[in-house]
Amino acid sequence: MKKVVLGVTGGIAAYKAAELARLFVRGGADVHVVMTEAAIEFIAPLTFQVLTGHPVYVNMYADRSGEKINHIDLLEGTDVVVIAPATANTMAKMASGLADNLLTTLYLAARCPVVVVPSMNADMYEHQAVQDNIRRLSEYGCHLMDPDAGELACGVYGRGRMPDPLDINAFTRAVLRPKDFSGLKTLVSAGPTREPLDPVRFLSNPSTGLMGYALARALKERGAEVILISGQTHLQPPAGVKKVDVTTTEEMFDAVFGHYKDCRLVIKAAAVSDYRPMEVSQQKVKKNNDLSTIELARNRDILMELGKEKGDRILVGFAAETEDVFENAQQKLVRKNLDLIVVNNLKEPGAGFAVPTNRVSIIDRSGEVENLPLMEKEELAHLILDRIAGML
Ligand code: CTP
């Protein structure tokens, strides 16, 4: 996302658009703001000018500095137009092709993706006329983001609030992703498995599911159908992903194999417990039982079993290592019949469990190792998909 035109219309949420502009700029985009006359009643153009480093355009014929502006020039090289907040009035004009200000004129001429973020009073939002306009804008190819429900600035509760700028930023980035996994049936496993000892205790590991959820979201953004088999986590599943909750390794095994037949790509990011207690007490084990050893039974290796029935699927595994990192990972890749293995050295700062970042190496079947720098798991997820896309 190199160039963004941010359209701001006259709603109370216009103040949040300043934060959005900042996020776009921080993400490396060149941001040009176009406001309607009504918007400047809510927030000063100077705010956006300072945040973006560019003049703000309101009028069709001249910017605030008196320089002439042509809407076509403004669109030159633009990757995306984002209209946030979008009032009922501006959406009505857009839906009927009215071009009576710079923003609506620009919309008609835009050939890049257009993101529209409606924001208004809940009763207005529900009105049939507004809903019809939203539907029409979708039909015209705009990417509509649903407003949030909650307390609105006008004091009522309902749906109409402009979403958090962070979410609008993520939505916009998702719109711009290549749809190179379009229609592909995929399965991602994520999070830890838990093996109960008794009703209140279990064996597990510190996985939070962040990496697997990031992969599921990235796949969805790139057009895939995604089944997310998830151990216990506190994460919200990405929108549009089918989530199957499991607790133990055996449950994960059954869930994964239950969906394996239809999937072309399987990414096993779950941190699976290799052992389970031989006996599970139905009652809480009391401390005066003098328990000093727990006998363990080995769990089946899900990925290994998947590898035996691989067919023409792509199988991607993870490896968490603390020593002989590459040798161990490479052996896992061969033993489990994988196409790629993503290995993290748990001793590296910022890598591994329960942190938003990871530092990994990717190893392919030919043994080639790609060492990647420390990065956010979201970014890493897309990078892993870039490598997989090359194999499809
Ligand atoms: N895995 C699995 N089923 C298991 C254990 C692991 O599907 N019972 C998968 C993980 O989801 C991961 C890969 O296998 O994609 C490697 O997991 P890891 O824990 O690093 O390796 P293990 O095979 O368990 O080997 P070890 O514990 O000896 O390192």
Side-chain angles (χ1 to χ4, degrees), residues 189 249 252 267-275 299-304 306 316-321 328 332 335-336 338 341:
S189 77
T249 301
M252 185 171 275
I267 307 181
K268 284 232 69 219
V272 182
S273 298
D274 291 323
Y275 292 91
N299 278 326
R300 285 184 286 179
D301 188 317
I302 307 170
L303 197 48
M304 181 102 102
L306 293 175
V316 179
F318 274 71
E321 305 293 347
N328 281 331
K332 280 179 196 174
R335 199 169 62 234
K336 303 191 186 196
L338 309 179
I341 191 154

Side-chain angles (χ1 to χ4, degrees), residues 86-89 91-92 95 118-137 144 147:
T87 56
N89 186 45
M91 288 194 297
S119 169
M120 68 199 72
N121 162 277
D123 291 330
M124 286 173 77
Y125 181 67
E126 276 171 21
H127 195 285
Q128 196 56 52
V130 172
Q131 289 301 317
D132 286 348
N133 288 333
I134 286 176
R135 190 181 32 76
R136 270 166 78 186
L137 288 177
L144 269 295

Side-chain angles (χ1 to χ4, degrees), residues 10-78:
I12 183 65
Y15 77 94
K16 292 196 215 165
E19 180 61 22
L20 183 60
R22 218 171 126 255
L23 288 173
F24 286 149
V25 170
R26 257 211 253 141
D30 188 23
V31 183
H32 296 262
V33 176
V34 176
M35 300 175 77
T36 61
E37 292 283 353
I40 61 175
E41 300 293 330
F42 289 92
I43 182 165
L46 185 62
T47 306
F48 292 105
Q49 185 170 328
V50 172
L51 290 172
T52 64
H54 293 297
V56 171
Y57 301 102
V58 179
N59 195 300
M60 246 202 276
Y61 305 103
D63 74 4
R64 299 243 128 195
S65 63
E67 185 195 323
K68 279 213 159 165
I69 173 67
N70 177 328
H71 58 280
I72 305 296
D73 291 347
L74 203 51
L75 285 170
E76 185 78 36
T78 295

